[in-house]
């Protein structure tokens, strides 16, 4: 069973729909105890970092997520929450993958970035199997994860190159929305579901 | 990052100083206009011109030369030095100078700044902060003021100034490195920062870029040949690159849960089924879908939620739902059913607070403000219409678009009623005007009739996405055809 963490923010529905389409069993969870029976965990996310951290703290997920040993996937805000710190609302985050979340400051480009952008794979990962390098994924973000190269799996250009796929041990994260990125996005989710 | 070559003028000649010291003057050219033309030829996108005599004596001394220079090149220029009176500033700004730079007077007389912003708009006024040993310098850097940087920044913020030129005088003309920590400090206060002073190698430029500095003013390093403008420009461009694609969005009109109006697809069992049609478009390469509810009744709208649920289960690209949405509860219901974005039009006009409420609750990214406009390309009288174009409002389109963005809209769906249905192309002046004025993406709508229209929407209109309905429904072009055409003009698309 894949646990999808509901922390009050975000649109979980599309992640659920995608897993359903892939024929995966999932459960939307509200309490850390519910993670015990899970084989994998997804932290989806749309919303703001400050509020999200507050919710994770209140519900107890803030303590339990870093201890997880099963495959974990952070999506969009769910990726940014894995960092040390976010400029959005100036909050400390979960400190699972080293890095800072920073705002796009380009003058020439619109913020938020909305639309399909290219992901260049810089390292191989089971998450990107059967996906062509430089494929397009759907992004909606005003902030990006500034991560040390060591953990970067995929990079994307938006004014500057930023990490769009990262991984450290069992923690995987993507800045884009695989659940909204057509067949390629579904393939990425399928790859995640196959991890053990 | 914008690379801005500087031309400093003393006595009609192009010079450089060291640390702002006038006795250190070195003349590089007798003819600043020639220098400007040369920078333009090398690909500079903007120039920073300083009347150094003016800065020292408090009124322009090389204004005529600068105005002639203005006429001799096409790229925008910003001018500073001795602009301490409103009338002088106005003279520059009405005679073709794109932006002016004020320093001393912004510090000593904030009301002057306020008045300028009111008359010409904050985007044409740049404030230059010159720092020497942690304090603000004034009068062509000849004096250090007693003003405190922090409180001065707060003041600028309250006036609506967004962009600041920051110079560390002790590094200017020294060919060293910029004062990164100073720049960062000002950036942290939420300003867009243009760095100046001491930028002399590619490494510094790269670092500035990675910090998110939006522009770099270069002086001595260029004149002394320490770095070549063409090389840096290429460098800056590469890093400013984005691979984000332009979006093509088919729009489907839905009535009582069924797609209506001119759908002409072969091999579809049920051309009126939103799911089947949406799927078809998604497979063809649509980047997003928009479903517009044209049901007149409450019952009709209820079926919309059911439709959204079905679409969300089967289609895995983003889709927007619009039409008849009135409350935060309506929005919640549609988002929970699986819609990615909600478009609001009439209600947003009647109750702008809904934009604020909804964007706070659900995030800006899912709130699209749809604007229908007539006479949109005229400067000041493009009027917004509501209720499906049947009711005229008193809102000016530019003001309304800016306000919607300020209230938290994530995107603007801009429909020109004049162009809609004509198949003669999008309203390009309107698009350009709105696209430039707001920081959020703009979706062009109304008037698509040929492949070229899409190209123009992106290149001339600066749109981020383009919407079409009948063109796709009647199979005049496929989405793939549109995208292949755009690609042949180097417009980034997802194929």
């Amino acid at each position: 069973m894949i646990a999808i963490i509901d922390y009050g923010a975000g649109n979980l529905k599309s992640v659920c729909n995608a897993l359903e389409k892939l024929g995966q069993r999932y459960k939307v969870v509200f309490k850390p105890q519910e993670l015990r029976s899970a084989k994998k965990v997804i932290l989806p996310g749309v919303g703001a970092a400050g509020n999200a951290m507050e919710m994770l703290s209140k519900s107890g997920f803030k303590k339990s997520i870093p201890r997880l040993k099963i495959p974990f996937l952070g999506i969009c805000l769910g990726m940014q929450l894995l960092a040390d710190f976010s400029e959005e609302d100036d909050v400390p985050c979960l400190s699972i993958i080293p890095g800072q979340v920073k705002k796009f400051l380009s003058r020439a480009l619109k913020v938020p970035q909305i639309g399909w952008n290219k992901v260049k794979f810089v390292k191989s990962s089971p998450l990107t199997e059967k996906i062509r390098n430089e494929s397009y994924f759907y992004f909606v973000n005003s902030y990006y994860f500034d991560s040390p190269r060591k953990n970067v799996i995929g990079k994307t250009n938006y004014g500057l190159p930023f990490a769009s796929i990262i991984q450290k041990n069992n923690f995987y994260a993507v800045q884009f929305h695989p659940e909204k990125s057509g067949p390629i996005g579904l393939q990425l989710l399928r790859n995640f579901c196959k991890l053990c | 990052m914008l690379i801005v070559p500087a031309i400093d003028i003393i006595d009609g000649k192009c010079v450089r100083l060291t640390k702002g010291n006038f006795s250190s003057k070195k003349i590089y050219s007798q003819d600043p206009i020639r220098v400007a033309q040369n920078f333009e030829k090398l690909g500079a996108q903007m120039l920073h011109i300083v009347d150094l005599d003016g800065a020292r004596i408090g009124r322009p001394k090389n204004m005529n030369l600068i105005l002639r220079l203005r006429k001799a090149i096409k790229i925008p220029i910003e001018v500073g030095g001795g602009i301490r009176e409103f009338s002088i500033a106005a003279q520059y700004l009405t005679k073709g100078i794109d932006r002016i730079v004020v320093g001393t007077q912004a510090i000593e007389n904030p009301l002057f700044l306020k008045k300028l912003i009111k008359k010409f708009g904050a985007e044409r006024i740049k404030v230059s902060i010159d720092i020497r040993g942690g304090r603000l310098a004034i009068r062509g850097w000849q004096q250090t003021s007693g003003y405190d940087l922090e409180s001065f920044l707060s003041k600028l913020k309250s006036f609506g100034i967004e962009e600041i030129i920051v110079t560390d005088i002790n590094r200017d003309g020294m060919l060293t490195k910029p004062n990164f920590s100073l720049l960062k400090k000002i950036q942290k206060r939420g300003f867009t920062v243009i760095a100046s002073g001491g930028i002399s190698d590619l490494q510094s430029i790269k670092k500035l870029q990675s910090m998110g500095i939006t522009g770099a003013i270069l002086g001595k390093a260029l004149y002394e040949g320490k770095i070549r403008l063409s090389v840096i420009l290429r460098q800056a461009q590469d890093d400013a690159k984005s691979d984000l694609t332009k979006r093509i969005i088919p729009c489907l009109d839905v009535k009582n849960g069924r797609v209506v109006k001119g759908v002409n697809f072969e091999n579809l069992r049920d051309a009126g089924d939103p799911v089947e049609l949406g799927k078809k478009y998604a497979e063809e390469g649509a980047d997003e879908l928009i479903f517009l509810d044209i049901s007149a009744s409450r019952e009709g709208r209820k079926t919309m939620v059911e439709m959204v649920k079905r679409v969300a289960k089967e289609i895995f690209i983003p889709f927007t739902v619009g039409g008849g949405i009135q409350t935060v509860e309506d929005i919640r219901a549609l988002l929970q059913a699986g819609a990615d974005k909600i478009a609001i039009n009439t209600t947003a006009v009647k109750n702008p607070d809904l934009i604020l409420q909804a964007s706070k609750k659900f995030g800006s990214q899912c709130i699209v403000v749809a604007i229908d406009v007539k006479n949109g390309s005229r400067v000041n009288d493009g009027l917004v219409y509501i209720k499906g174009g049947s009711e005229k409002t008193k809102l000016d389109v530019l003001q309304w678009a800016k306000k919607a963005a300020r209230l938290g809209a994530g995107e603007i769906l801009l429909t020109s009623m004049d162009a809609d249905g004509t198949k003669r192309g999008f309203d390009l002046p309107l698009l350009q005007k709105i696209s430039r004025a707001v920081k959020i993406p703009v979706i062009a709508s109304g008037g698509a009739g040929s492949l070229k229209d899409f190209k123009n929407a992106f290149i001339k209109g600066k749109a981020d996405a383009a919407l079409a309905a009948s063109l796709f429904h009647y199979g005049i072009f496929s989405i793939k055809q549109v995208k292949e055409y755009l690609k042949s003009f180097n417009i980034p698309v997802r194929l």
Side-chain angles (χ1 to χ4, degrees), chain A residues 107, chain B residues 1-4 193-196 199 208 212-217:
Chain A
R107 191 166 60 165
Chain B
M1 189 168 67
L2 201 60
I3 301 294
V4 188
V193 173
I194 311 281
S196 165
I199 307 167
L208 291 173
I213 297 290
T214 54
I217 296 177

Side-chain angles (χ1 to χ4, degrees), chain B residues 219-321:
Chain B
K220 191 171 269 181
L222 287 177
Y223 292 96
E224 290 286 332
K226 266 206 91 178
I227 34 182
R228 277 172 53 199
L229 184 59
S230 55
V231 175
I232 313 175
L233 284 171
R234 206 174 324 126
Q235 160 82 30
Q237 211 164 31
D238 281 346
D239 278 16
K241 209 178 123 189
S242 152
D243 295 316
L244 188 74
T245 59
K246 299 289 187 185
R247 290 170 281 156
I248 301 296
I249 308 175
C251 178
L252 302 156
D253 287 350
V254 179
K255 197 172 181 183
N256 303 327
R258 305 274 301 162
V259 176
V260 294
K261 198 164 105 179
V263 173
N264 183 16
F265 269 131
E266 288 171 35
N267 309 324
L268 280 186
R269 272 171 297 133
D270 180 0
D273 179 30
V275 175
E276 198 156 356
L277 259 170
K279 254 188 173 168
K280 167 96 185 163
Y281 281 130
E283 278 161 22
E284 262 194 11
D287 294 304
E288 284 178 37
L289 300 170
I290 294 184
F291 294 96
L292 218 49
D293 185 12
I294 54 168
S295 314
S297 64
R298 266 271 155 210
E299 294 73 52
R301 293 215 177 98
K302 268 185 205 141
T303 62
M304 202 62 179
V305 173
E306 292 310 310
M307 184 213 84
V308 168
K309 277 187 188 159
R310 290 201 300 128
V311 170
K313 275 190 192 303
E314 292 296 329
I315 297 174
F316 296 95
I317 60 170
F319 68 97
T320 303
V321 178

Side-chain angles (χ1 to χ4, degrees), chain B residues 451-464:
Chain B
L451 293 172
K452 204 174 155 196
D453 294 337
F454 287 94
K455 179 184 82 172
N456 285 340
F458 296 126
I459 291 182
K460 293 189 180 151
K462 311 279 175 210
D464 300 281

Side-chain angles (χ1 to χ4, degrees), chain A residues 46 106-107 109 116 159 182, chain B residues 2 163 239 287 316 365 439:
Chain A
V46 170
S106 168
R107 191 166 60 165
L109 302 171
W116 298 77
Chain B
L2 201 60
E163 198 168 68
D239 278 16
D287 294 304
F316 296 95
Q365 83 291 334
K439 225 3 188 151

Side-chain angles (χ1 to χ4, degrees), chain B residues 133-261:
Chain B
R135 322 202 64 162
L136 294 172
I138 51 172
R139 305 205 177 280
W141 301 353
Q142 301 307 296
Q143 295 169 19
T144 306
S145 76
Y147 296 92
D148 167 54
L149 177 62
E150 287 297 316
S151 59
F152 182 60
L153 291 176
S154 306
K155 207 168 258 170
L156 291 181
K157 191 112 239 199
S158 71
F159 290 169
I161 288 283
E162 288 170 2
E163 198 168 68
I164 302 184
I165 300 173
V166 181
T167 311
D168 184 333
I169 299 174
N170 284 341
R171 308 206 184 205
D172 198 55
M174 295 298 283
L175 299 175
T176 54
K177 294 213 179 306
N179 188 341
F180 295 114
S181 61
L182 173 69
L183 296 170
K184 203 169 251 172
K185 189 167 146 193
I186 294 173
Q187 216 177 12
K188 273 238 145 125
R189 296 289 305 269
F191 292 101
T192 332
V193 173
I194 311 281
S196 165
I199 307 167
S200 64
D201 57 11
L202 269 175
Q203 227 178 348
S204 299
I205 288 177
K206 273 189 192 164
K207 170 127 195 229
L208 291 173
Q209 224 159 9
S210 72
M211 285 167 61
I213 297 290
T214 54
I217 296 177
L218 296 178
K220 191 171 269 181
L222 287 177
Y223 292 96
E224 290 286 332
K226 266 206 91 178
I227 34 182
R228 277 172 53 199
L229 184 59
S230 55
V231 175
I232 313 175
L233 284 171
R234 206 174 324 126
Q235 160 82 30
Q237 211 164 31
D238 281 346
D239 278 16
K241 209 178 123 189
S242 152
D243 295 316
L244 188 74
T245 59
K246 299 289 187 185
R247 290 170 281 156
I248 301 296
I249 308 175
C251 178
L252 302 156
D253 287 350
V254 179
K255 197 172 181 183
N256 303 327
R258 305 274 301 162
V259 176
V260 294
K261 198 164 105 179

